[in-house]
Amino acid sequence: MTNPSYDRRGPAFDPMAMLPRLLRGRTVGVAMAGALVLAPLPVHAGPEATPPPEDATPPEGEPSPDDPVQRAMEAYRSGTDNYNNARYEEALADFREAASLYASPDFQYNIGLCYEKLEKYEEAIGAFTAYLRAKPSAEDRPNVENRIEQLKVQRDRKQREDEEAREAEKARAAEEARAAEEARAAAARAKEPPVVIETGPPPGRALILGGSALAGVGGVLALGGGIALGVLARQRSLDVERAQTEGNPDELSFAELQQLEDEGKRFEGIQVGLVAAGAVVGVTGAVLLALGLRKRSAAMNGDGSAARARLLPSATGVVLTGRF
Amino acid sequence: MRTHDTNHRTASQRLTVGLLLLCGGCYTAELDPELTGLFACDEDDDEASTPCPSGQTCVNHRCENADALPSLTVLAPEDEESLVENVSDVLMGMPQGPAIDVILSFQGSLELSSPGEDHEFGEGHVVVYVDGDERLVIDSGDIGATMAVEVQVPPVAGAHRFVLQAVRNDGLPYDNPEATATRLFWLESPVTRRPFVAVKSPWPGTTFGPEDQTIEVELATLNFDLVDPSNTKVEGQGHAHIHYDEGFPMCLQNPACDGGYIGIIGQSRTTEVTLPPSGAQAAELTAVLRHIDHSAYGLPFDCDPTVPGPLDLCMPVFETIEILRVED
């Protein structure tokens, strides 16, 4: 439906004159009451533009600065000017102000245009949809609907692009965080001594070490103690024998020889004890050692599941080595 | 090759160690306490220490069979036996005439053998000393039975001493007490029959330490009765004074002679005297007869030998023996 007031506007007061490109040939009609210019209507001046109410018309020849229509008109003009100068945010604010002062679906159309320029497609679609809802019989409805569809396409594309950008940003942030973490780890590794991480003790190690130690102790006990005390016992024996067979050249008394004999027998007893104890300990150690070696051999031949892996730091990171 | 040699040495060492352990390092000797002449000992050992095995006695620093110790016993002359012989007496001037043959009878346990052979315990010879001089060596015969030998004794009236010593083949005297036998006897003139005194103990030549010590002195007398002191002089009776290291007989005429007086012996014939401390030296021990009133007993009876004058006119009756003070 055409707004009659739109058609009645004069060329001097045709705020829509500056909007042909904006409105794509549409004319904007603003119904003004009296001698005062009509309240500026939205740049959209469709045939169904709603005229300002009668009671909103100020007294003729003296428009009130507080008149909402007047203020809407001023906001409309400012919005149009900003729009033409590609100041879309300011234009959007002006059109929103105008819409708040004067209810016209055309302002929603203009708001939609600003949102479109600002690539706020969802808001643009909302504004155009509000325009069609408020003006169901709009002549340009097919065009507007078509525009809405295009906006949806653009919206979706933009959403995808935004999503991809966000994903890319997240990936970039994650990469940066990982790089930072690696840098910190590298710095920490540079300060700390190399760490060797053994995945597990060598198989049979405890048995080998324990067995070797026991075998050694047993051997020392048996050989060292046995030989030392055996030598002592033998020396006593030789002393007593020499005294009895060579005429006691050392002039040993019976008591002294008895003492030598007692010492010799005591040393011999201790010797036997040490040798026996050393043998027991040594054999135990040998058995443990054999078990340990057998276990290690089995592991080396792959009969067992044991594998030895070593995790070593290197200049390029971490190197995993192992014996299987 | 190097590896082979090393292995060879290691095997040898192991074998050596094994042998040491198996047989070389054992006590194999067996002390036999029945062996004699083997174990060293010392006679000065404390008896409680039992330096020798049971049944053995320390002889010459070796433990020997106590049942086979050399031993000697004098049978004749009898102890303090007076043999009246034609001997000289100082009262009759200097000793004159041949030595007197005295029959020495003894027995003992010793396998007699010639000197110079290897020592064998229980074997050896007997040396006879007369008044400290070696006079006879007996290296043959059987002393298990009684042996009698003639021994020449100086023809001087007074006390004489036999010492019989069992000596090993190597010349070392057996030092067990049983291997030495002593005998004090008298020779007297049938003319004078005068009193004599002799120190029976200690035996001449006995050794003592240098420190002051108490010893027992035993006297023997001939023709004189030892009685306790009293106030009346009786011929043939009196007591004896013991002097240490004085110069008898001249000392009697010196009032300072009593400085060496160390004891008196009366009826008991023995007393304990204290030897003064001394260095290592020979010392004299003198027994001199006194009248009952302590005046010096002289010959003839009524003379006083303490009055300066010729001693052959008033002879004191005394005997001086030599003892030894030695360091420990």
Side-chain angles (χ1 to χ4, degrees), chain B residues 73-85 100-107 128-131 146-153 158-164 181-187 200 203:
Chain B
T73 302
V74 177
L75 302 177
E78 293 181 356
D79 188 31
E80 300 182 29
E81 181 180 354
S82 176
L83 303 176
V84 178
E85 299 286 349
I100 304 298
D101 289 332
V102 175
I103 302 299
L104 172 62
S105 174
F106 67 97
Q107 65 180 14
V128 178
Y129 297 86
V130 177
D131 297 336
T146 300
M147 290 188 71
V149 294
E150 283 188 347
V151 181
Q152 291 187 331
V153 179
H160 293 274
R161 292 174 176 87
F162 280 151
V163 175
L164 280 70
T182 60
R183 178 56 40 96
L184 184 144
F185 63 98
W186 307 100
L187 287 180
K200 195 172 183 181
W203 199 262

Side-chain angles (χ1 to χ4, degrees), chain B residues 7-44:
Chain B
N7 291 337
H8 180 68
R9 281 198 300 274
T10 302
S12 300
Q13 290 167 355
R14 288 174 180 170
L15 180 61
T16 302
V17 169
L19 290 176
L20 271 176
L21 283 175
L22 290 176
C23 61
C26 304
Y27 183 87
T28 57
E30 193 66 38
L31 182 61
D32 183 4
E34 300 296 328
L35 294 174
T36 59
L38 178 70
F39 308 120
C41 59
D42 192 340
E43 295 89 342
D44 294 333

Side-chain angles (χ1 to χ4, degrees), chain A residues 2-256:
Chain A
T2 304
N3 188 346
S5 64
Y6 185 78
D7 294 335
R8 285 197 304 270
R9 66 185 176 186
F13 185 70
D14 185 8
M16 300 298 109
M18 64 180 87
L19 297 175
R21 288 183 296 128
L22 174 65
L23 300 179
R24 298 177 184 175
R26 287 176 181 270
T27 59
V28 177
V30 178
M32 293 298 190
L36 297 176
V37 293
L38 293 175
L41 294 175
V43 292
H44 186 276
E48 296 178 1
T50 304
E54 289 296 329
D55 56 355
T57 304
E60 189 172 343
E62 192 66 34
S64 173
D66 297 329
D67 184 6
V69 176
Q70 184 62 31
R71 288 166 53 197
M73 192 61 187
E74 291 175 358
Y76 165 76
R77 289 195 190 99
S78 176
T80 302
D81 182 58
N82 285 330
Y83 185 94
N84 290 334
N85 289 286
R87 295 191 291 270
Y88 302 115
E89 290 285 355
E90 290 82 351
L92 175 62
D94 290 339
F95 289 138
R96 290 174 63 92
E97 182 182 2
S100 67
L101 294 171
Y102 186 85
S104 172
D106 292 333
F107 287 133
Q108 293 297 324
Y109 185 91
N110 292 340
I111 288 171
L113 290 177
C114 291
Y115 276 131
E116 185 177 358
K117 287 296 185 183
L118 291 171
E119 295 184 347
K120 295 181 177 177
Y121 301 113
E122 190 66 36
E123 288 81 351
I125 291 171
F128 286 127
T129 302
Y131 166 74
L132 290 180
R133 190 165 53 245
K135 200 173 182 180
S137 58
E139 293 178 353
D140 57 349
R141 182 177 189 87
N143 293 333
V144 174
E145 288 176 348
N146 184 46
R147 192 178 203 93
I148 288 173
E149 292 302 319
Q150 290 178 355
L151 286 172
K152 287 182 178 177
V153 172
Q154 286 180 295
R155 179 199 62 189
D156 294 341
R157 183 173 65 246
K158 186 171 185 299
Q159 283 180 344
R160 285 198 300 274
E161 291 174 354
D162 290 345
E163 185 68 21
E164 289 174 357
R166 280 196 299 274
E167 290 295 330
E169 180 63 22
K170 267 173 64 176
R172 188 183 62 79
E175 180 63 24
E176 286 179 356
R178 191 178 64 80
E181 182 64 26
E182 287 181 356
R184 282 196 298 274
R189 281 197 302 274
K191 292 179 180 177
E192 294 177 355
V195 177
V196 176
I197 301 174
E198 303 266 348
T199 58
R205 181 181 181 183
L207 288 174
I208 292 173
L209 290 179
S212 300
L214 281 179
V217 169
V220 169
L221 202 62
L223 291 180
I227 289 176
L229 290 170
V231 168
L232 292 175
R234 185 59 182 164
Q235 185 60 48
R236 267 65 175 174
S237 182
L238 291 175
D239 289 343
V240 172
E241 285 179 356
R242 185 171 59 176
Q244 294 191 137
T245 58
E246 298 179 12
N248 194 9
D250 296 329
E251 299 291 330
L252 297 174
S253 68
F254 180 66
E256 290 170 333

Side-chain angles (χ1 to χ4, degrees), chain B residues 177-195:
Chain B
E178 299 86 352
T180 302
T182 60
R183 178 56 40 96
L184 184 144
F185 63 98
W186 307 100
L187 287 180
E188 68 174 327
S189 167
V191 178
T192 59
R193 294 269 179 164
R194 68 175 180 92

